[in-house]
Amino acid sequence: MARTVWDSTVGKKTVMAVSGLIMLLYLVVHMIGNLKIFFGAGEFNHYAHWLRTIGEPFMHYEWTLWVVRVVLLAAVVAHAVSAYQLSRRDIKARPRKYVHKKPRAGYATRTMRWGGVILGLFIVWHILDLTTGTVHSGGFETGKPYQNVVDTFSTWYGNAVYIVAMLALGLHIRHGFWSAAQTLGAGSRTRDRALKTVANVLALSLTAGFIAVPVGVMTGVVS
C-alpha cells in the first residue's frame, strides 16, 4: 500500500506537503532562536548549549539534537525526491513547452524549482560554515556560535549567500505553504484568502527575521 501511494502523483504531493510543513515548523523555531543573538554573546551561546542538553538526563548529551537532525534530513530528502519526480513526471506529460505562459502563474510559482536548488546548495554551505567550520572564515571556534556568526557576516560573500538564500526561502514558503494546504485538503473558496494571507505573513516574517541577523552584524548592532 505504501508503494502504491508513493507511486501516485497524489501520494508524492502529500509527501512533499507534509515534509515541507515539518521543515517550516523547524524554520520558525530556528528563526526565533537566531534572534537571541541581539541579546548578546552570553545569551546566544547559552541557548546554543541548551540545544545540546535538551532532554537530559533521560536523553544523553546531543541525542535530542541528533533526533531533530535525522528527522530534518529525512524531510529534506523526501521533499527533494518527491519534487524531482513530480517535475520529471510533469515534463514527460507535456514534452513540448506551452506556446503561451499561464498568466496566473506568479513569480514564486515560476521559480519554485530553481529556488529549491538554491536552498539545497545553501543548506550544504550553511552546515559547512557554522556547524562543521569547514568553509568558515576567521577561524571557527567550537562552542562559540556567537563569534562564528559574527565572523561569517563580517564578510561580503557570507552576507550575499545568506541574504540571497533567505529571499529564495521567502518565495518558496509563500507558494509552498498555500500549495501544501491545497494538497492536504485545507483549501476552499472561503479559506483560500486566509491561507494566502498566512502564507504571505509567514514568508515575510521568516525572511525578515533571518535577514535581521546579517543586517545586525553589518550595522554594528551585533558585534
Side-chain angles (χ1 to χ4, degrees):
M1 182 180 293
R3 182 58 184 268
T4 301
V5 172
W6 171 249
D7 287 340
S8 68
T9 298
V10 173
K12 292 182 188 299
K13 287 184 176 181
T14 301
V15 170
M16 195 172 177
V18 173
S19 59
L21 292 176
I22 290 173
M23 290 186 287
L24 179 60
L25 176 62
Y26 167 77
L27 286 170
V28 172
V29 175
H30 188 43
M31 181 202 68
I32 294 173
N34 280 3
L35 293 177
K36 287 182 175 290
I37 200 167
F38 290 100
F39 294 94
E43 181 79 13
F44 191 72
N45 289 341
H46 176 70
Y47 162 71
H49 175 72
W50 172 79
L51 289 176
R52 288 160 172 76
T53 60
I54 296 175
E56 287 188 343
F58 178 74
M59 297 291 281
H60 193 61
Y61 182 75
E62 285 195 345
W63 277 14
T64 302
L65 184 59
W66 274 106
V67 169
V68 172
R69 287 170 174 169
V70 170
V71 171
L72 278 174
L73 178 61
V76 169
V77 171
H79 198 75
V81 171
S82 56
Y84 174 77
Q85 292 185 354
L86 283 170
S87 177
R88 297 300 301 173
R89 185 170 293 184
D90 184 47
I91 291 172
K92 288 182 179 179
R94 50 176 181 83
R96 293 184 180 180
K97 294 183 178 180
Y98 293 120
V99 176
H100 301 289
K101 292 183 179 180
K102 294 179 180 180
R104 292 185 179 181
Y107 183 77
T109 304
R110 295 195 302 269
T111 58
M112 281 294 284
R113 291 173 186 171
W114 281 111
V117 173
I118 291 172
L119 291 172
L121 294 174
F122 169 75
I123 290 172
V124 174
W125 178 85
H126 196 50
I127 291 173
L128 292 176
D129 179 32
L130 292 175
T131 301
T132 66
T134 306
V135 299
H136 185 74
S137 62
F140 184 79
E141 298 182 74
T142 303
K144 295 184 178 180
Y146 182 95
Q147 289 79 354
N148 294 332
V149 169
V150 171
D151 284 344
T152 289
F153 297 131
S154 295
T155 62
W156 68 267
Y157 57 86
N159 290 316
V161 169
Y162 193 87
I163 291 174
V164 168
M166 292 307 100
L167 292 175
L169 176 67
L171 291 173
H172 209 76
I173 290 172
R174 181 176 178 270
H175 176 73
F177 178 83
W178 184 82
S179 180
Q182 302 304 308
T183 297
L184 298 176
S188 68
R189 288 185 178 181
T190 56
R191 291 195 291 264
D192 277 356
R193 180 174 294 182
L195 288 171
K196 287 183 178 180
T197 300
V198 172
N200 289 333
V201 170
L202 277 172
L204 182 61
S205 299
L206 286 168
T207 303
F210 280 119
I211 290 180
V213 178
V215 170
V217 175
M218 284 189 287
T219 56
V221 175
V222 177
S223 63

